[in-house]
């Protein structure tokens, strides 16, 4: 499910041209004497990050929303979900081990 979810989220973010937020680190807060262009770039990134966070939070279950509500960096949400549900996650290993121990040899 995680791989499918991430693919679908990336499709939506790509269609909105805000998928860069998950790849690029947040720019530093520009100094007060920085150029208007630097301030505009920062403001756009913050606005796009807010949209990405909303899309991410809307696309996960209520239980996961509560768990990730305190994360303000939208890049941290997929990273944490990958740790929980990614292909090599502990959860997948546990399920595989439980299935292995639950099998019986045929007569």
């Amino acid at each position: 499910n995680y791989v499918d979810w991430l693919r679908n989220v990336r499709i939506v973010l790509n269609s909105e041209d805000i998928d860069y937020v998950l790849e690029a680190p947040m720019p530093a807060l520009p100094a007060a004497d920085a150029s208007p262009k630097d301030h505009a770039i920062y403001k756009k990134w913050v606005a796009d990050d807010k949209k990405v966070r909303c899309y991410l939070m809307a696309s996960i279950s209520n239980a996961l929303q509560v768990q990730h509500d305190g994360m303000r960096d939208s890049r941290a949400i997929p990273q944490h979900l990958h740790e929980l549900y990614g292909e090599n996650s502990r959860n997948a290993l546990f399920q595989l081990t439980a299935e292995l121990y639950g099998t019986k040899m045929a007569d």
Side-chain angles (χ1 to χ4, degrees):
N1 284 347
Y2 169 78
V3 175
D4 295 337
W5 170 82
L6 185 61
R7 184 181 330 107
N8 289 331
V9 165
R10 287 191 183 274
I11 290 169
V12 171
L13 297 179
N14 191 26
S15 73
E16 297 284 330
D17 289 327
I18 55 176
D19 55 331
Y20 71 94
V21 172
L22 292 180
E23 305 299 327
M26 181 177 184
L29 179 65
D33 61 344
S35 70
K37 182 181 176 183
D38 289 339
H39 284 284
I41 289 171
Y42 179 78
K43 285 181 182 179
K44 179 176 178 358
W45 197 95
V46 169
D48 289 346
D49 183 62
K50 185 177 180 180
K51 286 181 188 176
V52 168
R53 187 175 185 290
C54 289
Y55 281 128
L56 292 174
M57 294 297 282
S59 66
I60 58 178
S61 69
N62 292 342
L64 289 173
Q65 286 174 359
V66 171
Q67 187 176 0
H68 294 89
D69 192 37
M71 293 182 179
R72 294 295 168 215
D73 181 10
S74 59
R75 289 176 35 183
I77 295 171
Q79 289 172 352
H80 186 251
L81 290 172
H82 177 72
E83 290 173 8
L84 293 175
Y85 304 110
E87 293 176 16
N88 297 326
S89 71
R90 288 180 278 159
N91 188 25
L93 181 60
F94 173 77
Q95 289 177 347
L96 183 61
T97 305
E99 187 176 328
L100 178 66
Y101 285 123
T103 59
K104 295 181 181 179
M105 290 181 55
D107 290 333

